[in-house]
Amino acid sequence: GPEDMPAEIWEKVKNHPCYSEEAHHHYARMHVAVAPACNIQCNYCNRKYDCANESRPGVVSERLTPEQASKKVLAVASTIPQMTVLGIAGPGDPLANPGKTFETFRLISEVAPDIKLCLSTNGLALPDWVDEIAKYKVDHVTITINMIDPEVGQHIYPWIFWENKRLQGYEAAKILTERQLLGLEMLTERGILAKINSVMIPGINDKHLVEVNKAVKSRGAFLHNIMPLISAPEHGTVFGLNGQRGPTAQELKALQDECEGDMNMMRHCRQCRADAVGLLGEDRSAEFTTDKIMAME
Ligand code: CLF
Ligand code: SF4
């Protein structure tokens, strides 16, 4: 609440449903799935579907062009007055699709300047785009950080695509963690609120996430959202096919409680689709498919 933070930060979080537990009862967000490509591989991802860094794996979202996305935002904003935040969270990595992502932000800031812009990324390309993010007044950025130790990271990320090369194993994870933490520091310097998402993977990074929590807090992260791995074999992810289990609800809560003393923990995440529309936990995306939006005109 406003008593826990400086006034300028409260201004940014008070009507963002993910950054404020209270706000999520009253304010809605929407996502537009304009970013199909990705620059890394996570073992919990199946590329045919949405980016599992911010959304439930195994869901196919409707892909839009920036123009379709901006039409959709106008249609939703006129139907759902509590819609305060537009996020780009997939289906791949928004910053691996910078042309589409920033063109979407540009169009929306022209037609709907009151809507807050939000972005979720794996962080590999983040340092290259922080100035552009600031230019479009994107006040909220989520980075998915699952490790700060490449020994751990090599079991989560089989490869990254970096400076025109595919890198693997320890080397790939080392570059990824360096870029994520640098990107976080650059956001903090510019006063952009950073939320960290971490996927809890039992036996791989569950113990290590306490270290991640400390590292991101010391670099100014505002909120930490530890999410359970979802690894049903039918999603076709590497972890799912290898029989890697997700955490139990008790294991997740115990880890969140352990980190709670160090920084604000998000506990109301609903692992939304890359084309989610509505209050968190409510899915109105089916009301706003492209054919329906075109029919509204
Ligand atoms: Fe979307 Fe993410 Fe912005 Fe929210 S979702 S880009 S910060 S506007 Fe929110 Fe959904 Fe959890 Fe994401 S409940 S998956 S944390
Ligand atoms: Fe999949 Fe997202 Fe990871 Fe890319 S960043 S591999 S889209 S989960």
Side-chain angles (χ1 to χ4, degrees):
E3 61 289 342
D4 314 320
M5 58 188 81
E8 69 274 14
I9 297 193
W10 177 243
E11 267 316 296
K12 288 183 182 169
V13 305
K14 68 178 184 191
N15 57 4
H16 193 304
C18 305
Y19 282 68
S20 157
E21 214 280 317
E22 177 56 27
H24 98 274
H25 299 293
H26 310 289
Y27 295 102
R29 55 80 190 94
M30 69 177 289
H31 291 164
V32 285
V34 295
C38 193
N39 49 6
I40 71 174
Q41 178 68 58
C42 307
N43 277 336
Y44 50 77
C45 181
N46 179 333
R47 279 302 178 64
K48 287 200 290 263
Y49 303 112
D50 283 359
C51 172
N53 280 332
E54 173 88 3
S55 51
R56 198 159 277 277
V59 171
V60 183
S61 291
E62 195 189 21
R63 318 281 160 104
L64 302 178
T65 64
E67 292 72 24
Q68 289 170 325
S70 111
K71 285 205 176 81
K72 180 170 178 174
V73 171
L74 279 182
V76 172
S78 63
T79 314
I80 308 178
Q82 315 91 305
M83 212 282 290
T84 48
V85 176
L86 178 276
I88 303 182
D93 187 74
L95 299 179
N97 304 260
K100 288 178 180 145
T101 292
F102 290 107
E103 176 63 2
T104 303
F105 284 149
R106 190 185 68 76
L107 291 171
I108 289 167
S109 62
E110 276 176 8
V111 296
D114 293 338
I115 290 177
K116 286 180 191 297
L117 303 176
C118 190
L119 174 74
S120 174
T121 177
N122 63 44
L124 180 63
L126 181 58
D128 300 336
W129 295 104
V130 169
D131 289 332
E132 200 75 358
I133 287 167
K135 184 176 126 188
Y136 286 98
K137 302 197 169 34
V138 178
D139 272 339
H140 300 83
V141 173
T142 297
I143 317 171
T144 299
I145 300 185
N146 296 318
M147 54 87 203
I148 53 166
D149 177 355
E151 293 284 354
V152 176
Q154 63 188 342
H155 302 294
I156 304 173
Y157 305 102
W159 55 259
I160 67 171
F161 194 74
W162 169 244
E163 292 184 336
N164 302 313
K165 286 192 298 283
R166 189 182 284 235
L167 303 177
Q168 296 178 314
Y170 186 96
E171 184 190 18
K174 183 165 184 291
I175 290 170
L176 181 61
T177 179
E178 287 168 359
R179 298 282 292 176
Q180 290 173 332
L181 295 178
L182 173 63
L184 172 57
E185 288 168 3
M186 293 172 74
L187 294 173
T188 300
E189 277 166 19
R190 288 161 181 78
I192 298 169
L193 286 188
K195 169 165 79 60
I196 306 305
N197 281 0
S198 299
V199 181
M200 181 182 182
I201 311 160
I204 304 274
N205 73 347
D206 48 342
K207 306 275 188 301
H208 179 60
L209 285 178
V210 178
E211 300 308 313
V212 171
N213 178 267
K214 292 192 179 111
V216 300
K217 184 191 163 67
S218 73
R219 289 169 177 80
F222 176 75
L223 191 63
H224 194 185
N225 174 23
I226 300 180
M227 310 183 296
L229 172 73
I230 300 172
S231 70
E234 62 270 25
H235 293 156
T237 66
V238 172
F239 279 145
L241 297 171
N242 289 345
Q244 170 67 49
R245 69 173 182 94
T248 64
Q250 291 86 334
E251 287 169 333
L252 179 65
K253 181 172 183 303
L255 177 59
Q256 289 170 332
D257 290 348
E258 198 178 344
C259 296
E260 180 75 70
D262 288 329
M263 73 186 291
N264 295 329
M265 301 300 292
M266 177 178 187
R267 296 180 191 243
H268 63 285
C269 177
R270 299 302 175 84
Q271 295 181 274
C272 323
R273 315 163 51 115
D275 61 359
V277 176
L279 296 171
L280 300 191
E282 161 188 87
D283 185 10
R284 299 181 60 176
S285 54
E287 290 171 48
F288 300 98
T289 54
T290 307
D291 48 336
K292 288 185 184 152
I293 288 163
M294 296 305 156
M296 285 177 198
E297 289 181 318

